[in-house]
Amino acid sequence: DIEKMDITHGAPDILHCSKKLQKSGINPTILSGENANIKRLVRVLPPEKEDGNVEYKRQVLDPSASRLRQLATQMSYRLDEGKGIAKYQIGVEDDGCHSLLDCSKMRQSVKILTLIARALNSLVVTENYVQNEIGGYDSTTAIVKEDEKKDQVHESFGNEDYKEEMIAIGIPTRCELTVQRVETHLLDLSPMSLASISEAIAFEPDEADMSVLKLGSPGVNSMSISSEGEVQSDGTTSTNEAIPLRPASTSAKGSSISETLSARNIRIAVVGNVDAGKSTLIGTLTTSCLDDGRGRSRTSIMKHRHEIETGRTSTATTHLLGFKSDGQVIKGKDSLRSHRIKSEDEIARESHRIITLMDLAGHEKYLKTTIHGVSSGFADYSLILVNSRHPPTHMTQQHLNLCCSFGIPVIVVLTKVDGCPEHALNNCKKEISKLLRAKEINRKPFGISNEDNIATCIGKLHILAPIIESSCVTGAGMDLIRKLLFALPKRRHHENKAKRPFEFLVEDIFNVPGVGGVVSGFVNAGELTVGSGCQVYVGPCDDGTFMKTIAKSAHIARINTSHVTSGQSACLAFSLNKDMRKKLRRGMVVLTDNPTSTKEFDAEICVLKGEGTTIRRSYQAYVHILNVRQSAYAKHIELVKNELMPTHSSLDGGDDEGGIVLRPGCRAKVRFEFAKRPEYIRPGMRMLFRDGRVRGVGIITAIPVPVV
């Protein structure tokens, strides 16, 4: 009885165990099928850990579609744990024992895992077959070591006879794979879908040979992997190399996801009236699927249930639109399952250039949310959406004034042109042109109907306001919008602030089980490498003090990273106790040195023209300074004379109880004081104040008395 042999109690001598199995008439190299229930106790590795970047697999043969999805998710997790590098031990049980399988099954498993890696924008760097771990065999064996001609592994792709000479048949074998993630925009071919993997696996191993591993194509430059794991272009034409590069001069260094999400990331604020179709436009752009006219596109990006039911956006959300280097759009829906929306990390890994679309509320009820989104969003450009079937409303004028107050170039998109009467469309164009030519906006309308118009207006957006007609149902104008977004140059160069002290603006807070306090926000300046030695200050609290803590980990676009730099939207996890977590709030900052807070600040403001506004001493308004929003009142007012904009006698200010009165068009230096708590602000920050609607803008000039 095999189950009663000594091997069930464990045997330290592997050769002794192998001979006992042979005497019983069982070849230890084929312990599968009906013999799979025999316990394997030839330990070759320590037991597998649930975390980390090392995965054990007995074998991977004929996986179903659902199993392929599980394997891809598992490999993605291991790659994230290993910062882009995962190690697979094939032919090993979860407890570290040898699976005692033949090398033919190893090779089939390697083929499937290699294809799965390709679907995840990764490739196999090393492929090491290990034999001679179980004695009692006279066959000639060879072990491919990582430090012994690593290129042999890549040369063996497509050369099956070569591999036969290196690996003996009929010997218990295990395989060590190293999988490394490669940025997709460096590749000529797009990542393989799981559907194509299923088709490749359907071939018999003898018929398929190694053709499924030939990922190159004739006439393109190929790459190989050096010992440091960097992509290198050799400029040769081959069909047996690993994966081809698009340009021969492109290198992996300097083209990482981190750079894509900072230097090649353009942030665009999408604003407009409540019925303009902002969420529908964003959903159509990001998913590359047309709307059905009943809200299908907007439901794919909306966050809350009441938003889906009413169709009104009430929160500020961001969505990524990815482009390849040639301008091709990254589809936001999975190619295998069309109902599944790609996550941010998938889009970021596949993209060479990213457009971050900020979906803001359009209803007047949520105007303060929209103002905060524009104030703290660091938008490079803004899309002003107007329903072509109706003339622009007062909210459209508010949004235009808001964007121009922050110096953000505007692009007007006329939506719902399908089925729109011609006279209504012409009337809408006439009214929007009148708004753009107003003195407070001072933009010249410029219609865009082809690609030549796009080339004309690029670089002149400080004086021009492009107008595009579009429909998310018929697709009219959508290609022009995509081409215009891809052609827009970067306006805010946050990468130039990388040498400044680290400054992270907190936008939202979370309490993640098993992790602790997590904050999301924007890296406004500097760089930070997280870890056990990363000491930061979080604050200010209600009393103006900062909490000293450790930044444990960081994520950008849901990708685990150890380094964040200016210009990136990121999440940081801190080592905070329960009492400290309760003090976290929106509007805080994360600094590495010199934490200060203040309740007073001096600013040079300009009161916007429009409705009657009277500002005098003790005037209280709601102030927006980047991510800070709080009530403040004016303690001292001093008029600023501007020769370029002379004021009328009615605007010079009057004597009201010994104070100065400001009216629309006036410029003044004002000292404000926060009404509730100290905040972190510094000179040079742009501010906006409102009392219901936007009343004025300004720039902070000095901090008089900091609170220690």
Side-chain angles (χ1 to χ4, degrees):
D1 190 358
I2 299 174
E3 295 183 357
K4 295 181 180 179
M5 294 192 330
D6 293 339
I7 192 171
T8 60
H9 303 289
D13 188 357
I14 297 178
L15 176 61
H16 182 63
C17 296
S18 176
K19 289 182 178 180
K20 282 201 171 188
L21 288 174
Q22 289 179 343
K23 289 179 181 179
S24 302
I26 296 178
N27 188 347
T29 65
I30 54 171
L31 282 179
S32 59
E34 65 273 6
N35 297 325
N37 60 342
I38 298 178
K39 193 172 183 180
R40 300 167 175 83
L41 289 176
V42 184
R43 188 179 299 277
V44 292
L45 293 173
E48 182 187 25
K49 297 181 179 179
E50 292 185 1
D51 55 352
N53 67 330
V54 181
E55 177 67 28
Y56 293 176
K57 289 292 177 191
R58 177 188 299 169
Q59 59 186 4
V60 183
L61 300 178
D62 300 326
S64 61
S66 60
R67 178 59 177 162
L68 276 176
R69 176 62 61 185
Q70 293 175 356
L71 292 171
T73 303
Q74 189 179 60
M75 182 177 291
S76 178
Y77 170 75
R78 296 297 186 185
L79 287 169
D80 290 338
E81 287 287 298
K83 306 297 188 297
I85 297 178
K87 296 183 181 297
Y88 272 74
Q89 299 288 347
I90 309 174
V92 182
E93 304 294 317
D94 290 343
D95 58 359
C97 295
H98 205 301
S99 297
L100 306 177
L101 298 178
D102 186 70
C103 66
S104 60
K105 292 184 174 57
M106 294 297 100
R107 292 172 54 192
Q108 296 176 39
S109 301
V110 169
K111 291 179 183 179
I112 296 174
L113 290 175
T114 302
L115 293 171
I116 293 175
R118 174 65 186 279
L120 297 176
N121 312 324
S122 307
L123 69 158
V124 175
V125 177
T126 60
E127 179 182 339
N128 302 334
Y129 289 83
V130 181
Q131 296 180 337
N132 280 345
E133 289 186 309
I134 299 180
Y137 296 90
D138 297 330
S139 300
T140 303
T141 62
I143 303 175
V144 183
K145 298 289 187 181
E146 185 174 354
D147 55 352
E148 294 179 1
K149 298 183 179 180
K150 184 185 297 185
D151 292 337
Q152 291 178 354
V153 177
H154 299 286
E155 294 172 0
S156 63
F157 287 173
N159 190 351
E160 192 170 354
D161 296 335
Y162 174 82
K163 188 172 290 187
E164 293 288 352
E165 297 176 0
M166 296 295 298
I167 305 172
I169 305 300
I171 300 296
T173 308
R174 64 181 178 91
C175 181
E176 300 175 352
L177 290 183
T178 302
V179 182
Q180 180 174 336
R181 182 177 286 141
V182 179
E183 309 305 337
T184 311
H185 60 266
L186 297 177
L187 308 182
D188 181 66
L189 299 179
S190 60
M192 297 186 67
S193 65
L194 295 184
S196 60
I197 295 177
S198 299
E199 295 176 359
I201 295 173
F203 288 101
E204 294 295 331
D206 294 337
E207 297 177 1
D209 294 328
M210 297 295 289
S211 60
V212 293
L213 295 179
K214 298 177 182 178
L215 305 180
S217 57
V220 294
N221 294 324
S222 301
M223 73 175 183
S224 61
I225 305 298
S226 67
S227 58
E228 291 80 16
E230 296 181 353
V231 181
Q232 296 179 343
S233 175
D234 56 11
T236 60
T237 302
S238 174
T239 60
N240 294 332
E241 297 289 342
I243 298 177
L245 289 171
R246 177 175 287 108
S249 61
T250 305
S251 62
K253 187 175 181 180
S255 299
S256 62
I257 293 179
S258 177
E259 182 181 350
T260 301
L261 292 171
S262 56
R264 294 194 298 273
N265 182 12
I266 296 180
R267 303 171 65 88
I268 297 180
V270 183
V271 295
N273 196 30
V274 67
D275 61 343
K278 300 178 295 299
S279 300
T280 300
L281 177 66
I282 294 176
T284 303
L285 289 174
T286 55
T287 61
S288 299
C289 296
L290 295 178
D291 188 41
D292 60 354
R294 294 185 295 273
R296 180 177 63 183
S297 293
R298 70 168 180 252
T299 55
S300 63
I301 66 169
M302 282 186 167
K303 187 175 181 181
H304 301 291
R305 183 180 181 87
H306 70 271
E307 293 180 336
I308 298 175
E309 293 175 349
T310 62
R312 293 179 178 177
T313 301
S314 61
T315 57
T317 57
T318 58
H319 309 275
L320 300 185
L321 173 62
F323 290 92
K324 296 184 179 179
S325 59
D326 58 355
Q328 183 180 353
V329 179
I330 303 296
K331 293 185 178 181
K333 285 198 173 183
D334 192 285
S335 57
L336 183 63
R337 296 185 295 177
S338 58
H339 66 278
R340 176 183 175 273
I341 305 298
K342 288 185 178 179
S343 59
E344 291 184 352
D345 60 325
E346 293 177 296
I347 296 176
R349 290 188 177 112
E350 296 181 28
S351 303
H352 172 75
R353 184 183 181 90
I354 287 180
I355 305 295
T356 300
L357 299 172
M358 296 181 286
D359 188 14
L360 303 175
H363 198 277
E364 187 173 6
K365 176 182 178 181
Y366 308 114
L367 179 60
K368 59 182 181 181
T369 302
T370 302
I371 294 175
H372 177 69
V374 174
S375 173
S376 61
F378 294 93
D380 293 281
Y381 303 91
S382 62
L383 290 181
I384 308 293
L385 270 61
V386 181
N387 188 349
S388 61
R389 303 177 185 180
H390 304 284
T393 64
H394 68 285
M395 288 305 300
T396 304
Q397 185 175 7
Q398 287 287 328
H399 294 148
L400 279 171
N401 291 336
L402 177 63
C403 294
C404 292
S405 298
F406 282 99
I408 303 174
V410 297
I411 300 170
V412 180
V413 179
L414 301 180
T415 60
K416 305 180 183 182
V417 296
D418 57 301
C420 177
E422 185 176 355
H423 71 277
L425 179 60
N426 293 333
N427 183 39
C428 181
K429 290 181 180 178
K430 181 180 178 180
E431 293 295 328
I432 195 66
S433 298
K434 187 184 298 183
L435 288 178
L436 292 172
R437 288 192 175 98
K439 289 184 178 181
E440 56 268 19
I441 306 299
N442 195 22
R443 295 290 191 277
K444 182 179 180 180
F446 183 80
I448 292 183
S449 57
N450 52 53
E451 295 186 31
D452 294 336
N453 298 141
I454 295 177
T456 302
C457 69
I458 293 298
K460 302 177 183 178
L461 293 179
H462 60 288
I463 57 174
L464 297 181
I467 300 178
I468 305 178
E469 302 176 14
S470 68
S471 171
C472 295
V473 176
T474 63
M478 300 305 296
D479 288 338
L480 284 177
I481 294 177
R482 293 188 184 97
K483 291 177 181 178
L484 175 61
L485 295 180
F486 179 75
L488 290 175
K490 182 75 172 175
R491 193 175 68 90
R492 296 177 182 268
H493 296 280
H494 295 282
E495 61 273 13
N496 296 336
K497 300 187 291 184
K499 301 301 181 182
R500 287 169 45 179
F502 181 73
E503 181 181 297
F504 181 86
L505 309 180
V506 176
E507 289 290 339
D508 209 347
I509 57 175
F510 308 91
N511 187 15
V512 181
V515 178
V518 176
V519 298
S520 65
F522 187 80
V523 184
N524 190 30
E527 298 177 328
L528 183 71
T529 301
V530 299
S532 58
C534 180
Q535 179 178 293
V536 295
Y537 298 91
V538 184
C541 301
D542 291 343
D543 58 355
T545 60
F546 283 74
M547 297 179 291
K548 185 177 178 181
T549 183
I550 299 295
K552 301 185 296 185
S553 60
H555 278 197
I556 52 172
R558 302 189 181 184
I559 301 172
N560 189 18
T561 182
S562 60
H563 183 80
V564 294
T565 185
S566 57
Q568 295 177 347
S569 295
C571 291
L572 300 178
F574 300 127
S575 298
L576 298 174
N577 56 37
K578 186 176 181 180
D579 294 334
M580 297 172 70
R581 285 200 301 268
K582 291 181 179 179
K583 296 180 180 180
L584 289 177
R585 61 174 178 84
R586 298 179 179 90
M588 284 184 166
V589 294
V590 181
L591 308 173
T592 54
D593 53 8
N594 299 327
T596 58
S597 62
T598 182
K599 287 196 70 175
E600 295 183 355
F601 61 93
D602 294 336
E604 184 174 335
I605 67 170
C606 176
V607 183
L608 297 181
K609 294 182 179 180
E611 300 180 6
T613 303
T614 301
I615 298 177
R616 57 173 60 88
R617 189 166 59 88
S618 300
Y619 166 80
Q620 187 167 353
Y622 205 72
V623 177
H624 293 265
I625 307 173
L626 296 184
N627 65 324
V628 173
R629 45 182 172 175
Q630 189 183 157
S631 294
Y633 62 90
K635 294 184 63 177
H636 176 71
I637 300 176
E638 178 184 350
L639 278 176
V640 174
K641 299 295 183 180
N642 189 351
E643 296 179 357
L644 298 178
M645 188 182 68
T647 59
H648 300 287
S649 58
S650 60
L651 302 179
D652 286 340
D655 200 7
D656 181 64
E657 296 181 357
I660 299 176
V661 177
L662 302 180
R663 294 186 175 90
C666 287
R667 298 173 63 91
K669 292 182 179 180
V670 182
R671 173 166 294 183
F672 287 95
E673 181 176 351
F674 288 118
K676 187 176 181 181
R677 67 173 71 90
E679 300 284 1
Y680 170 81
I681 53 178
R682 53 177 174 75
M685 288 185 172
R686 187 186 293 267
M687 65 167 291
L688 178 147
F689 60 92
R690 63 178 178 86
D691 53 1
R693 296 185 179 180
V694 179
R695 299 305 182 190
V697 295
I699 296 179
I700 298 176
T701 57
I703 307 298
V705 181
V707 177
V708 181

